[in-house]
Amino acid sequence: MVYEKFWSENPVIAKNKTEVWKLEKDGLKIFDDIPHYAANGFESIPKEKWDMFKWAGLYLQRPKEAGYWMMRVVIPGGILTYDQQITLANIAKDYGRDVYDITTRQAIQFHWLTIEQVPDILNRLEQVGMTTAGACGDITRNIIGNALAGIDPGELFDTREVLYNVFEFFRLNEDFSNLPRKYKMSVSANVHNASNAEINCVSFNPATKVIDGKTEVGFHVKVGGGLSSVPMLAEELDLFILPEKTVEVAAAITTIFRDFGYREKRHRSRLKFLVADWGPEQFKEKLLEYTGPLPEKGESALKEWNAGYFYGIHKQKQEGLNYVGVNIPVGRLTPDEVIEFAELSKKYGNGEIRNCNSQNLIIPNVPDAKLEELKQESIFERFPYQPKKFIGYSVSCTGIEYCNLALVETKNRMKTIAEKLDKEIDLDVPVRMHMVGCPNNCGQRAIAEIGLQGIKMKNQDKKMVEAFEIYVGGTLNAGGKFNEKLKGKVEAEKLYDVLKELILFFKETKLLSETFLDFVERVGKSELQSKLDNILTEVAV
Amino acid sequence: MNLYRFEVTIKEELIHVIIAADSDEKAFQLVDIELEKRFLKMPEVDDISLYEKRKINNGTGYVLSEFETIL
């Protein structure tokens, strides 16, 4: 289909250099140029073309001038075959300095790649049916799904086919590869909102509706969510979508974003800004112009939020089969560990692995008869399926190690702190902690029970040090609520001591089975602030 | 080159300081220099915090509508 880029006539667009080059050449065309640049080296890539590589899933690591790339690989719904796992592991081993990261969108990332290596990497990925197209750039990003799709005893229905249809529709589709900005979608019928519906641009969420006397399963739709520096929770449209209508509705919403989304300023281009201006009613009316009549909302099937965690050994909906939810601390593995999991999934399951948006993974399809033997595997000593209460629920962005925007180190720090807390404090509930290295929220700080955001400051000795501010009380339960900042700045080297004291206060004051979120709501922010003030006086001096 | 956004606390009052520099360390040094330029008598600085940095391009800037530091 050929569509008219009518915004090209808008003189204001000429001031946005990204929009100008997007009109001159579609971002996906960068794939055609990669062989040339690979043959001629990083120096042959004009600086003004660097951004275009995002459409091929490639970002320059810090410092950009050094010419090392981060590559993100699309994994729709997080489901990986055995061959795909081996291919990914070998890429990380051969080219990526043994770094393999699971992302908060169920994708994976490599680091330290050079442009010369990219053609071989893309070729290897293609051979196992994988792509990097759409992993980054102003395009539909990796589509989040229920990591348990098809095996989830509680799911409203199996969403794998719907999700793949949506993915295939948008994949390399140049009708939708020039969007105003990044565009994040989820398709899930997990009743515990495992896909984090409220922080996606568009989310399809489980619902039922009685139509012509028959209860139909399908989706409710939320639009306009997103974190970054201006976080916003998605709003629900008064619509019910049958599964077979999902691609059509997704296409219509994306068309609205493409044609009515704001392109003048990149910092106001996400769908959330259009939704904030229009409101859900106007958005729905525009959507119906494209789709024709759709039923109004039915009954939401969503229950309590699980934040994408599936730890432990559980029965699948299939008789005699089980899945094992495993903790991967802050999502980082070595290639050898990836291969170990792949071999395990082949030996005990069907070779499949599922990535979770909590940066963990699931080994599905393990028969009852093999469970006991699987549980004895030594890999679970390093990556437990019953993780401790802190390391099992810690999330981190990439941080200063690779990111151009980060002010502080995050990934290893989060892991170290969580592991130390697990050694020192025994709790009856997990505590969800997210650490980010700047205000852009890639590690989803805003929805954490304890959010840690990095800054740099001068300490008492007038030395520049890394530090953190603490936020409390974030959730996506019941529509969601972002966490709130407490007063006080904590030097990074004292962060563990401060968190330990704060969590000990929680432990000593909490009710049985009370979560940190419920605790914050019960005692109030001022009580926590008062405690933090004391801690900062005693510990941080 | 980056554009840095700082908040400085002086006698229970907050001020924004924006600095262009090629490293975090240099940016902190330049905050001191800018403060020295601003005040005839250099006040006691309670806190200097770096909240954000952005690559400098045409149009890089910040809106300074509110403070992040809670006093």
Side-chain angles (χ1 to χ4, degrees):
Chain A
M1 189 180 87
V2 177
Y3 70 99
E4 188 188 351
K5 296 181 177 73
F6 58 84
W7 60 86
S8 63
E9 305 300 321
N10 181 349
V12 181
I13 294 297
K15 293 179 183 171
N16 182 337
K17 66 175 184 177
T18 305
E19 285 300 324
V20 170
W21 76 248
K22 281 160 64 182
L23 283 168
E24 288 168 358
K25 186 171 180 175
D26 191 275
L28 288 173
K29 298 284 189 221
I30 193 65
F31 281 104
D32 300 337
D33 300 339
I34 284 175
H36 167 78
Y37 293 130
N40 293 281
F42 179 67
E43 297 304 320
S44 70
I45 306 172
K47 206 169 180 176
E48 59 273 16
K49 285 240 172 160
W50 287 357
D51 275 354
M52 202 178 206
F53 280 78
K54 291 177 186 172
W55 273 250
L58 290 156
Y59 277 90
L60 279 166
Q61 290 175 201
R62 68 185 287 270
K64 289 185 178 183
E65 292 72 16
Y68 288 107
W69 301 85
M70 180 280 282
M71 175 185 274
R72 193 177 293 148
V73 182
V74 168
I75 305 172
I79 300 176
L80 285 166
T81 65
Y82 172 82
D83 289 342
Q84 288 172 337
Q85 294 162 63
I86 297 297
T87 298
L88 292 170
N90 284 331
I91 291 169
K93 186 181 284 207
D94 294 344
Y95 297 126
R97 299 193 189 180
D98 285 353
V99 179
Y100 178 105
D101 284 338
I102 302 172
T103 77
T104 52
R105 292 194 68 77
Q106 298 177 301
I108 71 102
Q109 288 181 183
F110 302 121
H111 292 278
W112 300 111
L113 309 181
T114 64
I115 190 65
E116 290 85 352
Q117 298 163 344
V118 171
D120 182 52
I121 293 171
L122 294 178
N123 184 42
R124 292 191 196 189
L125 291 172
E126 195 180 345
Q127 284 178 21
V128 288
M130 302 190 84
T131 182
T132 58
C136 314
D138 300 346
I139 192 167
T140 306
R141 299 291 187 89
N142 194 44
I143 302 173
I144 288 190
N146 176 11
L148 295 182
I151 63 171
D152 181 355
E155 71 184 347
L156 192 61
F157 61 100
D158 181 355
T159 44
R160 282 176 297 184
E161 188 181 346
V162 179
L163 188 146
Y164 278 117
N165 287 342
V166 175
F167 166 68
E168 284 300 335
F169 176 81
F170 287 107
R171 178 168 133 122
L172 297 173
N173 185 339
E174 291 193 14
D175 283 352
F176 297 100
S177 55
N178 182 352
L179 300 178
R181 200 70 166 80
K182 66 171 88 166
Y183 181 62
K184 300 179 176 182
M185 195 183 290
S186 67
V187 178
S188 165
N190 178 282
V191 297
H192 297 292
N193 191 15
S195 60
N196 296 346
E198 293 77 12
I199 58 170
N200 280 277
C201 300
V202 182
S203 60
F204 291 88
N205 310 301
T208 59
K209 185 175 174 78
V210 177
I211 300 174
D212 298 331
K214 187 181 165 207
T215 301
E216 301 280 0
V217 296
F219 298 111
H220 284 169
V221 188
K222 291 189 176 190
V223 293
L227 292 178
S228 71
S229 54
V230 188
M232 183 165 156
L233 296 164
E235 299 201 60
E236 195 158 76
L237 304 180
D238 186 13
L239 294 172
F240 177 79
I241 314 297
L242 288 164
E244 58 269 28
K245 298 283 279 184
T246 313
V247 172
E248 183 188 345
V249 172
I253 293 172
T254 312
T255 303
I256 292 170
F257 180 45
R258 183 191 70 196
D259 293 348
F260 296 92
Y262 305 136
R263 291 176 182 269
E264 291 85 353
K265 302 159 187 167
R266 286 191 64 72
H267 55 278
R268 290 190 66 80
S269 294
R270 294 280 300 270
L271 182 64
K272 62 187 175 184
F273 293 100
L274 183 68
V275 173
D277 283 349
W278 281 11
E281 265 307 303
Q282 186 182 340
F283 198 95
K284 175 192 150 186
E285 293 310 314
K286 179 58 76 179
L287 177 60
L288 293 177
E289 287 177 22
Y290 290 83
T291 60
L294 291 169
E296 292 178 350
K297 267 197 308 192
E299 284 287 317
S300 171
L302 288 178
K303 301 174 188 170
E304 194 174 16
W305 181 49
N306 72 357
Y309 291 107
F310 298 103
Y311 293 137
I313 298 172
H314 304 275
K315 295 280 176 202
Q316 294 183 191
K317 64 161 63 168
Q318 294 85 3
E319 183 71 28
L321 291 180
N322 307 270
Y323 69 87
V324 184
V326 184
N327 173 229
I328 308 299
V330 295
R332 181 158 289 176
L333 290 165
T334 66
D336 286 341
E337 289 163 347
V338 176
I339 290 168
E340 233 179 308
F341 274 115
E343 297 301 339
L344 222 69
S345 70
K346 195 174 187 184
K347 182 177 175 188
Y348 295 99
N350 66 340
E352 194 175 282
I353 287 281
R354 311 274 186 104
N355 285 356
C356 305
N357 54 344
S358 54
Q359 300 180 309
N360 296 299
L361 59 78
I362 291 167
I363 305 168
N365 300 311
V366 181
D368 289 343
K370 291 185 176 178
L371 258 186
E372 281 311 310
E373 193 187 343
L374 172 66
K375 283 156 72 175
Q376 305 311 315
E377 291 284 351
S378 62
I379 197 166
F380 297 123
E381 289 162 22
R382 282 168 288 148
F383 302 101
Y385 51 82
Q386 289 175 318
K388 294 186 173 157
K389 300 293 194 296
F390 295 100
I391 193 63
Y393 300 83
S394 294
V395 173
S396 167
C397 70
T398 294
I400 204 167
E401 190 179 8
Y402 301 118
C403 175
N404 287 290
L405 300 172
L407 299 170
V408 301
E409 149 66 18
T410 55
K411 228 172 183 50
N412 286 325
R413 176 172 285 137
M414 181 76 265
K415 184 168 180 271
T416 304
I417 288 175
E419 286 173 343
K420 276 176 83 176
L421 287 170
D422 276 320
K423 279 186 189 152
E424 299 267 334
I425 303 176
D426 187 22
L427 281 177
D428 61 343
V429 290
V431 178
R432 290 186 301 102
M433 290 197 293
H434 291 215
M435 183 177 279
V436 295
C438 81
N440 291 301
N441 237 323
C442 296
Q444 303 173 340
R445 184 271 299 155
I447 60 171
E449 288 179 298
I450 298 179
L452 303 163
Q453 185 164 317
I455 59 171
K456 274 198 169 90
M457 61 183 267
K458 274 199 172 176
N459 67 4
Q460 287 187 321
D461 303 326
K462 304 292 179 197
K463 282 186 182 164
M464 184 186 79
V465 293
E466 297 189 353
F468 286 85
E469 292 185 317
I470 300 174
Y471 295 69
V472 292
T475 181
L476 289 183
N477 243 348
K481 175 182 167 291
F482 294 134
N483 48 26
E484 294 182 64
K485 181 153 68 177
L486 297 176
K487 175 187 166 186
K489 300 169 187 182
V490 185
E491 273 188 54
E493 67 174 43
K494 292 168 181 167
L495 182 61
Y496 168 73
D497 293 327
V498 170
L499 286 172
K500 181 183 164 189
E501 290 304 315
L502 197 65
I503 290 162
L504 281 174
F505 170 63
F506 164 60
K507 182 179 178 179
E508 287 154 10
T509 325
K510 75 189 282 302
L511 306 174
L512 190 65
S513 302
E514 186 176 39
T515 64
F516 191 83
L517 177 72
D518 292 338
F519 174 73
V520 173
E521 287 176 2
R522 180 171 62 83
V523 305
K525 187 184 158 195
S526 60
E527 181 77 14
L528 274 162
Q529 181 65 68
S530 170
K531 184 62 193 176
L532 181 61
D533 291 345
N534 291 339
I535 295 169
L536 290 176
T537 307
E538 290 165 14
V539 174
V541 172
Chain B
M1 187 73 83
N2 298 311
L3 194 64
Y4 291 86
R5 177 167 67 84
F6 287 88
E7 289 184 8
V8 178
T9 312
I10 297 173
K11 290 181 181 166
E12 290 294 301
E13 287 205 13
L14 288 165
I15 54 174
H16 296 287
V17 178
I18 304 297
I19 297 288
D22 55 13
S23 73
D24 299 359
E25 291 81 0
K26 186 75 182 167
F28 268 92
Q29 290 168 16
L30 291 170
V31 170
D32 287 337
I33 291 169
E34 286 305 313
L35 291 173
E36 286 162 7
K37 287 182 193 168
R38 173 67 180 76
F39 296 99
L40 192 60
K41 185 180 175 188
M42 193 59 188
E44 186 70 29
V45 175
D46 300 317
D47 178 61
I48 300 175
S49 292
L50 168 61
Y51 275 93
E52 195 172 0
K53 68 176 172 186
R54 295 178 181 174
K55 281 273 170 208
I56 285 191
N57 296 304
N58 265 339
T60 301
Y62 294 104
V63 173
L64 307 174
S65 64
E66 56 190 23
F67 290 100
E68 299 202 38
T69 302
I70 303 173
L71 290 175

